[in-house]
Amino acid sequence: MGGSILEPMEKDVLILAIESSCDETAAAVVKNGREVLSNVIYTQIALHTQFGGVVPEIASRKHIEKINQVIEQALTEAKLTLQDITAIAVTYGPGLVGALLVGVAEAKAISFASGIPLVGVHHISGHISANYIEHAELEPPFVCLVASGGHSHLVVVKDYGEYEIIGRTRDDAAGEAFDKVARAIGLGYPGGPKIDQLAKEGNPDAISFPRAKVAENEYDFSFSGLKSAVLNYLNSCQMKGETVKTADVAASFQKAVIDVLVEHSLHAVKQFGFSKFAIAGGVASNSSLRKAFEQECARQGIRFYHPSPIYCTDNAAMIGVAGYYEYLAGVRHGYDLNAVPNLKL
Ligand code: KG4
Ligand code: ZN
């Protein structure tokens, strides 16, 4: 009997992904790297707000409390059981060591008990890969701006899982600057979304804040001078007995951050000769930033990609996407996989 001319059906690759690097306990199931079957996020924000920022020890404890429930929910919503899963992807760095450890230990335990292969994923690779979820046509190479609470990186995405960092922040990350300025004007934690909202009522040209350039590398960022300028402005208003228009401060600060991010990013896209540009990370959910990139990219003939806000802030679906491409590349981790708080991209 001759062989069938039909190729055997490729089996679906189903990744169970776990993310616990900061203050979100998250699990997701991703099919064939691009289709999100479930995306469960338990956010601890309310818990940390009273302390004005993330308290690492509290974050770790809450992760332990929530992680099993979140994983079970992710499998249930995907209408799958562990037996259907091809590989388990988990964020193993960078992040808070105690928080990361919860996800890593959980993933190792499930892998050990079930025999399902384990794939460790870099958190930033996850953020970048969030762009693949809703843009089926997006493939490397492209330039990506990653702006989160801990990172402001300009990255050339050479291939899936292959990155070159061409610019980074010299001091504060963009999200960190949002959080610090928000605290200074009494908005509380997390500052990004609150400044985003308040800025809509303010005048972005009301106060002239600095746009820092870094002499040694045109793609690097620096936000600490801007943060100090805002604090100085608030102090001088207080000394003069003037009331501060917080909406104007929020809008003017936000514009200063966005101007620098847009200018450096699109300069890199042109200089490196790319036609595609993407954004990622919590700050990428900022509405004015998205508008600014949309307009500038359209003007310069660059195709602009951005994830929906839910895939910008920490989630496990993005880890499932990055984990899929690692899995395809043959990456498998052993039970000695450890949390690496300062993991390099
Ligand atoms: O990516 P992410 O969820 O966690 C990290 O990996 O750090 O980013 C969190 C950061 C916080 O600093 C938060 O203030 C900022 O992203 N963020 C925003 C917005 N939403 C979150 N910044 C500006 N505008 C927003 N809408
Ligand atoms: Zn993140």
Side-chain angles (χ1 to χ4, degrees), residues 14-141:
L14 293 158
I15 306 281
L16 170 65
I18 300 170
E19 155 66 40
S20 70
S21 66
C22 191
D23 59 348
E24 263 88 31
T25 319
V29 178
V30 176
K31 183 174 159 185
N32 299 328
R34 302 260 176 169
E35 194 185 333
V36 177
L37 300 186
S38 64
N39 184 34
V40 181
I41 304 167
Y42 170 79
T43 179
Q44 305 179 1
I45 284 177
L47 195 63
H48 297 283
T49 299
Q50 56 185 313
F51 303 105
V54 178
V55 182
E57 184 57 29
I58 294 177
S60 314
R61 284 164 191 250
K62 206 65 188 175
H63 284 312
I64 293 174
E65 217 177 290
K66 288 288 168 187
I67 197 148
N68 281 322
Q69 185 187 327
V70 163
I71 291 170
E72 269 172 32
Q73 199 181 331
L75 285 168
T76 306
E77 285 183 17
K79 298 186 177 61
L80 297 170
T81 66
L82 257 189
Q83 281 73 47
D84 304 307
I85 297 298
T86 317
I88 299 162
V90 64
T91 305
Y92 72 109
L96 301 169
V97 68
L100 287 164
L101 269 173
V102 177
V104 170
E106 177 82 11
K108 287 197 289 191
I110 299 174
S111 170
F112 181 71
S114 64
I116 300 169
L118 177 69
V119 180
V121 172
H122 193 292
H123 183 75
I124 300 299
S125 177
H127 272 303
I128 295 168
S129 303
N131 278 287
Y132 300 132
I133 297 171
E134 295 154 299
H135 304 292
E137 75 286 8
L138 178 62
E139 287 185 43

Side-chain angles (χ1 to χ4, degrees), residues 158-181:
K158 295 174 159 178
D159 203 343
Y160 294 107
E162 208 185 302
Y163 307 104
E164 183 189 345
I165 301 174
I166 55 169
R168 62 179 80 231
T169 180
R170 294 296 180 105
D171 36 62
D172 293 351
E176 203 178 343
F178 269 94
D179 294 335
K180 287 177 178 170
V181 167

Side-chain angles (χ1 to χ4, degrees), residues 74 87 90 113 150 177 227 254 259 269 314:
V90 64
K227 176 194 65 192
Q254 181 174 273
D259 280 356
V269 176
D314 287 349

